[in-house]
């Protein structure tokens, strides 16, 4: 949040409003929540881009907003007030509890058919009311549709007309602003037809309905020109081609909305609403299907119309939300063709690997005994299970001849015949030489793999003999051979992404096989992973979060292994986990991944129980990995990737609207409140690796505490304040003190206890300041707060505990330690054990398989537990690629 803008807005609004906070994710505009003082009601203040304020007729803008404010309808968010003063153009609306339709689609991609019909009917109802009063929306899209309880409401009615009237269409265009969003623009709107009327909203409603049913708009492209051109010149594919279960009569309603000629569409929104109501009735199935919906006729594209498209599209705002179907890199242009879903079972199907001929996809699928390997023909057929290991199997990779797969099962790199046979061990995986996902050379004679803790990239014979170190790369894994066998693309950092979808950054390196210098070719401030080579060896495709959400990028690689230009974004909003490319480059497989983890709470029971009484605190398509409770017990601080990268937020312990504290493009994790509640410590990747920072609890100032080579993580305040401890990977626990209070100088870190082999980096001090509990080798240890060796409290294996996850926490009297762990493989529970040692006991069992730990975190205020519950859902898809 820009403090100067908030202060300027507060000055502009005066005492009538009190600005409370800024809402994230508003694109070019800035949105603030405020209290209208006299009425004590919560409103939203939307500040439009400053370019619009310069040439606007303020009085005319206000008059048009006042006309729109007369719209009073249950499915319309009314406009309250508007103004343009001091370079700030703004309007106010009531604050609506709920989420946008875009956020809903981000979770589920498409809606159940009855729910989609209901949404479109209610939007149509709002449009019918507004059109009857001369108000055209001109920007119907999921971002402007809100879900509040069981109702749909549409926002920003009248804003487009107000801007046009107050500025003039020509003036708007000269400022580089087009009214509307390319993916939802009617052909006449895309070509700036002066006779554009309410039927442009009918077209946009059809696009919205299409997306709700198909999981994508009818036209998508990398740039606005492609999208607008398609609206004018191309017929959309029938919606049933993307989702065969859409009833024919519903498909007919949607496709008629998308007619190029406004006269061929439904003429009113009321007609659309009535047709959808008929679909929901028992007799609705008898509606005839129009042939135009299933036999599209190419649209007529005149040179004049195309010229208008090119001119208008060049001025569209860059904040438009697009889904790409083409990308350009160098002299080659690739186009994505048909996409097909290969798996659809509940749970996880991950790590897709296409056979060299592109006919079979291997993947790791979730079973009652853990992840195992499966294969399935791309063109259909049954799924075949290849492994039944006692440990989870993952990350399959094909031998060049297409008859064998190698995979990791956490103890070995193994090989399994595709046509049946017993797996055989190629390489043992023993700590500290953890061997990460490996890969066959193109000729099938060599293996490449990364050795964790040694930070080396190694090539050996297939049987593991004659290993040779190629390069030193931090935390290397997931090597991919270039087609000629001369180079490897290797991921550096965040191996946990492969197995647990951890959110930390990573980078991609190019490592020469025959000698030379290894080169880092991506940034290390975002997730960059799963590289695959194009058939010509001139580029890599990879998964990255560099643009916010995860998508597929292409990067050209020079012969010396350096990057040639910047990565080019291939998709938008795809959310892939890992990818695989067929040998000819015509088919790309990817696993979509929706991973969520939210905070729940439950009173600390005095006897063993189940988790039926827990209550949700946060909501949304986000992953939360760390929780801390403010000293007064009123606030929770947590990290979340709600806006793409992870930032620090706070929220009342009772729930409500979160407040974003940090906004750096790098990832911020693992918050901890200071004893006086004025600051929050956290670690961040702002310098490429983890370093320790402190931020004011209101987000106004941030201070760097520790910046050293390597990773410093998990900062924890000492109970007396002015002192932090943190873990440095490969070294141990340090403490650092500050003089002068907040904003004062932090001293030189001092080694508190050496523990270079620890596999958990977080410590939690007892409330009395005497002891520290930490996790090492998946067991609990306690040591003195002043340093020294720790003692293990119990043997997890002796009590059937499969592993301890997340941070432990203390009882208020410092006598009991609570921790999260699993009984067996998948049964989550919160346990307790005396700080003096003894037998651990289960306190809360999580019996609902859909509500289990994922990225576990645990905190306590002495009365209540706060913990994360999450899920991971993923499926395998394939997309066709071709060169233009």
């Amino acid at each position: 949040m820009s403090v100067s803008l908030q202060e300027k807005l507060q000055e502009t609004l005066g005492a009538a409003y009190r600005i409370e906070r800024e809402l994230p994710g508003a694109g070019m505009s800035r949105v603030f929540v405020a209290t209208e003082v006299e009425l004590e009601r919560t409103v939203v203040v939307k500040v439009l881009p400053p370019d619009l304020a310069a040439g606007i007729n303020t009085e005319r803008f206000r008059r048009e907003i006042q006309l729109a404010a007369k719209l009073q309808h249950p499915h319309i968010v009314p406009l309250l007030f508007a103004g343009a003063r001091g370079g700030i153009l703004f309007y106010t609306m009531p604050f609506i509890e709920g989420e946008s339709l875009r956020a809903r689609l981000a979770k589920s991609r498409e809606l159940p058919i009855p729910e989609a019909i209901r949404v479109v009917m209610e939007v149509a109802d709002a449009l019918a009311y507004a059109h009857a009063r001369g108000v055209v929306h001109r920007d119907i899209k999921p971002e402007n549709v809100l879900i509040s309880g069981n109702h749909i409401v549409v926002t920003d009615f009248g804003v487009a007309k107000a801007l046009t009237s107050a500025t003039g269409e020509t003036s708007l265009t000269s400022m580089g602003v087009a009214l509307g969003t390319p993916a939802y623009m009617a052909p006449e709107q895309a070509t700036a037809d002066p006779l554009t009327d309410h039927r442009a909203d009918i077209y946009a409603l059809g696009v919205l309905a299409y997306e709700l049913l198909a999981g994508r708009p009818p036209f998508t492209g990398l740039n606005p020109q492609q999208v607008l051109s398609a609206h004018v010149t191309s017929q959309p594919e029938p919606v049933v081609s993307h989702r065969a279960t859409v009833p024919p009569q519903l498909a007919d309603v949607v496709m008629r909305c998308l007619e190029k000629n406004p006269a061929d569409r439904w003429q009113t929104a009321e007609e659309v609403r009535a047709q959808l109501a008929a679909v929901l009735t028992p007799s609705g199935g008898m509606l005839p299907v129009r042939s135009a919906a299933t036999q599209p006729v190419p649209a007529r594209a005149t040179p004049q119309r195309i010229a208008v498209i090119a001119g208008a599209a060049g001025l569209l705002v860059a904040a438009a939300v697009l889904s790409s179907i083409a990308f350009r890199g160098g002299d080659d242009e690739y186009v994505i063709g048909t996409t097909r879903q290969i798996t659809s079972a509940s749970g996880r199907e991950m790590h897709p690997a296409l056979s060299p001929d592109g006919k079979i996809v291997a993947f790791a699928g979730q079973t009652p005994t853990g992840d195992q390997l499966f294969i399935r023909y791309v063109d259909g057929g049954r799924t075949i299970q290849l492994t039944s290991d006692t440990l989870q199997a993952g990350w399959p990779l094909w031998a060049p001849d297409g008859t064998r797969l190698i995979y990791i099962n956490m103890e070995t790199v193994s090989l399994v015949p595709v046509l049946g046979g017993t797996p055989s061990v190629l390489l043992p995986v023993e700590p500290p030489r953890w061997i990460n996902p490996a890969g066959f050379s193109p000729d099938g004679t060599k293996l490449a793999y990364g050795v964790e803790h040694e930070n080396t990239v190694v090539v050996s014979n297939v049987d593991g003999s004659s290993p040779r170190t190629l390069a030193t790369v931090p935390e290397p894994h997931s090597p991919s051979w270039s087609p000629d066998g001369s180079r490897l693309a290797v991921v550096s950092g965040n191996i946990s992404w492969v197995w647990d979808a951890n959110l930390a950054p990573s980078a991609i390196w190019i490592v020469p096989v025959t000698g030379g210098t290894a080169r880092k070719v991506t940034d290390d401030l975002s997730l960059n992973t799963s590289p695959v080579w194009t058939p010509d060896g001139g580029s890599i495709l990879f998964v990255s979060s560099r643009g916010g959400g995860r998508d597929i990028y292409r990067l050209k690689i020079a012969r010396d292994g350096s990057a040639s230009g910047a990565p080019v974004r291939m998709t938008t909003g795809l959310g892939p986990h890992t990818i695989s490319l067929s040998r000819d480059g015509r088919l790309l497989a990817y696993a979509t991944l929706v991973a969520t983890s939210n905070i729940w709470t439950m009173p600390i029971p005095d006897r063993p129980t189940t988790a039926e009484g827990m209550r949700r605190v946060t909501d949304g398509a986000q992953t939360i990995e760390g929780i801390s409770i403010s000293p007064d017990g009123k606030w929770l601080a947590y990290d979340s990737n709600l806006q793409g990268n992870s930032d620090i937020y706070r929220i009342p312990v009772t729930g409500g609207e979160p407040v974003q504290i940090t906004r750096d493009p790098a990832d911020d994790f693992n918050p901890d409140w200071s004893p006086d509640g004025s600051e929050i410590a956290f670690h961040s990747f702002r310098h490429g690796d983890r370093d320790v920072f402190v931020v004011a609890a209101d987000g106004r100032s941030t201070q760097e505490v520790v910046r050293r080579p390597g990773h410093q993580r998990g900062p924890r305040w000492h109970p007396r304040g002015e002192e932090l401890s943190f873990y440095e990977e490969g070294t141990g626990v340090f403490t650092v003190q500050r003089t002068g209070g907040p904003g004062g100088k932090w001293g030189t870190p001092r080694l508190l206890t050496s523990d270079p082999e620890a596999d958990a980096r977080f410590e939690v001090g007892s409330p009395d300041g005497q002891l520290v509990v930490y996790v090492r080798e998946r067991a609990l240890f306690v040591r003195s707060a002043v340093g020294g060796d720790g003692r293990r409290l119990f043997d997890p294996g002796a009590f059937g505990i499969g592993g301890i996850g997340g941070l432990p926490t203390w009882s208020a009297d410092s006598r009991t330690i609570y921790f999260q762990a699993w009984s067996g493989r998948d049964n989550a529970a919160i346990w307790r054990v005396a700080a003096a040692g003894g037998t651990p006991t289960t306190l809360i069992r999580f019996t609902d398989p859909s509500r289990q730990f994922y990225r576990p975190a645990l905190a306590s205020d002495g009365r209540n537990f706060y913990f994360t519950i999450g899920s991971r859902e993923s499926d395998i898809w394939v997309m066709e690629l071709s060169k233009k």
Side-chain angles (χ1 to χ4, degrees), residues 84-147:
R85 296 194 298 270
I88 294 181
L89 179 66
F90 68 93
Y91 56 94
T92 67
M93 301 177 292
F95 177 81
I96 303 297
E97 294 274 358
E99 66 178 354
S100 72
L101 185 57
R102 173 63 66 202
R104 172 74 166 84
L105 289 174
K107 301 175 188 176
S108 58
R109 186 186 296 270
E110 57 197 23
L111 299 187
I113 289 174
E115 184 179 351
I117 295 174
R118 180 182 66 83
V119 169
V120 179
M121 284 182 64
E122 293 187 8
V123 175
D125 199 27
L127 288 173
Y129 174 89
H131 292 170
R133 286 151 182 81
V135 178
V136 180
H137 194 288
R138 294 189 65 175
D139 198 18
I140 292 293
K141 58 184 177 181
E143 288 82 353
N144 285 335
V145 178
L146 306 180
I147 305 171

Side-chain angles (χ1 to χ4, degrees), residues 52-200:
L52 291 178
I56 200 166
N57 183 318
T58 306
E59 194 55 38
R60 185 176 296 172
F61 177 73
R62 290 186 59 188
R63 282 201 308 269
E64 290 293 339
I65 288 292
Q66 288 168 357
L67 289 175
K70 295 179 180 180
L71 297 177
Q72 299 294 323
H73 188 273
H75 298 309
I76 293 178
V77 180
L79 298 172
L80 302 176
F81 177 77
R85 296 194 298 270
I88 294 181
L89 179 66
F90 68 93
Y91 56 94
T92 67
M93 301 177 292
F95 177 81
I96 303 297
E97 294 274 358
E99 66 178 354
S100 72
L101 185 57
R102 173 63 66 202
R104 172 74 166 84
L105 289 174
K107 301 175 188 176
S108 58
R109 186 186 296 270
E110 57 197 23
L111 299 187
I113 289 174
E115 184 179 351
I117 295 174
R118 180 182 66 83
V119 169
V120 179
M121 284 182 64
E122 293 187 8
V123 175
D125 199 27
L127 288 173
Y129 174 89
H131 292 170
R133 286 151 182 81
V135 178
V136 180
H137 194 288
R138 294 189 65 175
D139 198 18
I140 292 293
K141 58 184 177 181
E143 288 82 353
N144 285 335
V145 178
L146 306 180
I147 305 171
S148 180
N150 295 320
H151 299 283
I152 297 299
V153 290
V154 183
T155 187
D156 282 1
F157 261 102
V159 176
K161 187 172 187 297
L163 287 172
T164 303
S165 299
T167 313
E169 190 78 46
T170 303
S171 298
L172 280 176
T173 304
S174 68
M175 287 189 291
V177 177
L179 297 177
T181 303
Y184 303 88
M185 275 190 180
E188 66 271 25
Q189 192 177 0
T191 56
D193 187 338
L195 299 180
T196 297
D197 60 17
H198 70 279
R199 290 172 294 183

Side-chain angles (χ1 to χ4, degrees), residues 436 449-458 469-477 488-493 507-512 517-520:
N436 292 323
Y449 52 89
V451 181
E452 200 171 340
H453 298 303
E454 292 183 7
N455 294 329
T456 55
V457 180
V458 177
T469 297
L470 299 182
T472 299
V473 173
E475 302 176 47
H477 62 90
L488 295 169
V490 178
V491 182
S492 170
I508 295 176
W509 292 60
I510 303 300
V511 177
T517 303
R519 301 176 185 272
K520 185 170 67 173

Side-chain angles (χ1 to χ4, degrees), residues 220-243:
T220 56
L222 180 62
N223 55 54
Q225 291 91 334
Q226 290 176 325
V227 178
L228 295 181
S229 178
H231 281 301
V232 177
T233 64
S234 302
Q235 285 290 342
E237 294 179 352
V239 67
V240 293
S241 68
H242 297 287
R243 190 174 180 182

